[in-house]
Amino acid sequence: MTDHKPSKSLPKATAKRLPQYYRLFKSLVEENVTRTNSQLISEKIGVDAATIRRDFSLFGELGRRGYGYETKVLRDFFGELLGQDQETHIALIGVGNLGRALLHYQFQDRNKMRITQAYDISGNPLVGTQTDDGIPIYNISDLEKNVKKSDIKTAILSVRKENAQEVVDTLVKAGIKGFLNFAPIRLKVPSDVVVQSIDLTKELQTLLFFMNDNKQ
Ligand SMILES: NC(=O)c1ccc[n+]([C@@H]2O[C@H](COP(=O)([O-])OP(=O)(O)OC[C@H]3O[C@@H](n4cnc5c(N)ncnc54)[C@H](O)[C@@H]3O)[C@@H](O)[C@H]2O)c1
């Protein structure tokens, strides 16, 4: 379905819903459901049907009026958009409290993303060891050499904010093109590098805002 490539100006809210769409179509295919429509999708994921139709229309003709959407076609389409049609190997940087938890998170079970290498500084006793699943934990000084001889373009950043920018500069130089960043800092990267930040404080504040809003 290469004729349905999205433009770079896809609204952020739509982009954020893509994993939801992919997950839904994947499970519908697993349940042997061959066809669906925006109303049924809406009931499953809690997004209103008009928004779903608008999102899908940004990609051209994904379905047919009166017929709906073919689950397999849409699963493959969103899978390709999200890079789930191939294996993505990821480097984890910073094996502290959060990094250790992430190393044990098995997101590879249902998706094609895998942490295959981890890095910390020489003072961390975990450097030179590997996890029970066999993920090696290297010294950060080996990163450039390792990344250059692998296909890794993606990193999860779980270092403290004081170290984050310096670490990112090193990783960008080594060829990393995308960061999932947990450090509460705005990172500076070249225009061909993407940063997706996860700020738990901000998420909690948003939750509290909506809870307060509910009370009024
Ligand atoms: N712990 C949490 O629950 C949590 C939750 C949300 C966000 N965060 C954020 O995640 C980040 C990590 O938090 P944490 O609690 O795991 O911190 P931590 O101090 O336990 O771990 C940070 C790790 O980064 C390593 N490190 C430092 N410099 C490095 C470098 N140059 N290269 C590679 N590794 C390096 C340290 O040796 C340490 O092991 C912080 O920015 C924090 O704000 C943490």
Side-chain angles (χ1 to χ4, degrees):
M1 294 194 64
T2 41
D3 49 335
H4 289 304
K5 279 283 180 219
S7 85
K8 275 215 153 195
S9 56
L10 194 68
K12 221 171 178 170
T14 303
K16 282 193 161 183
R17 283 189 286 272
L18 299 179
Q20 258 177 300
Y21 295 141
Y22 174 61
R23 197 176 295 173
L24 174 73
F25 286 113
K26 201 166 167 231
S27 69
L28 290 176
V29 171
E30 280 159 15
E31 290 160 20
N32 294 318
V33 177
T34 54
R35 236 203 298 175
T36 188
N37 60 48
S38 51
Q39 195 53 48
L40 293 172
I41 299 171
S42 168
E43 283 159 25
K44 292 262 187 198
I45 64 174
V47 173
D48 71 274
T51 302
I52 292 167
R53 283 194 297 273
R54 204 174 49 241
D55 282 351
F56 288 10
S57 72
L58 297 169
F59 300 105
E61 293 287 309
L62 290 186
R64 271 179 284 144
R65 192 175 272 279
Y67 177 85
Y69 304 103
E70 276 186 50
T71 53
K72 255 195 195 143
V73 172
L74 278 274
R75 176 203 58 187
D76 294 347
F77 174 69
F78 286 113
E80 193 186 326
L81 271 187
L82 295 168
Q84 299 299 307
D85 53 337
Q86 59 208 12
E87 279 239 329
T88 301
H89 292 177
I90 301 167
L92 175 92
I93 319 296
V95 190
N97 291 313
L98 179 64
R100 280 197 305 276
L102 292 171
L103 264 185
H104 292 107
Y105 179 57
Q106 310 274 344
F107 40 36
Q108 63 265 38
D109 277 356
R110 284 180 55 95
N111 298 291
K112 291 191 172 173
M113 304 173 292
R114 243 160 23 93
I115 295 174
T116 50
Q117 313 180 346
Y119 291 87
D120 208 296
I121 49 176
S122 57
N124 185 327
L126 291 173
V127 167
T129 67
Q130 47 177 264
T131 65
D132 295 343
D133 299 327
I135 305 169
I137 302 169
Y138 297 116
N139 191 316
I140 189 76
S141 61
D142 291 334
L143 181 125
E144 199 161 344
K145 172 179 71 164
N146 289 351
V147 165
K148 281 195 171 143
K149 63 178 187 207
S150 72
D151 59 351
I152 292 192
K153 295 271 175 279
T154 316
I156 297 179
L157 203 62
S158 48
V159 298
R160 293 195 180 181
K161 67 170 191 277
E162 296 77 13
N163 308 108
Q165 187 62 54
E166 177 200 329
V167 170
V168 164
D169 293 344
T170 312
L171 269 77
V172 167
K173 223 169 91 200
I176 297 293
K177 295 291 181 197
F179 292 92
L180 184 66
N181 169 40
F182 283 92
I185 177 178
R186 198 180 173 86
L187 297 167
K188 295 190 200 81
V189 292
S191 58
D192 63 337
V193 174
V194 186
V195 177
Q196 181 76 28
S197 287
I198 299 185
D199 184 333
L200 286 192
T201 309
K202 231 163 66 184
E203 298 294 337
L204 260 177
Q205 283 166 339
T206 309
L207 172 71
L208 296 181
F209 167 78
F210 284 121
M211 285 166 71
N212 282 336
D213 215 36
N214 267 349
K215 278 194 235 151
Q216 284 162 20

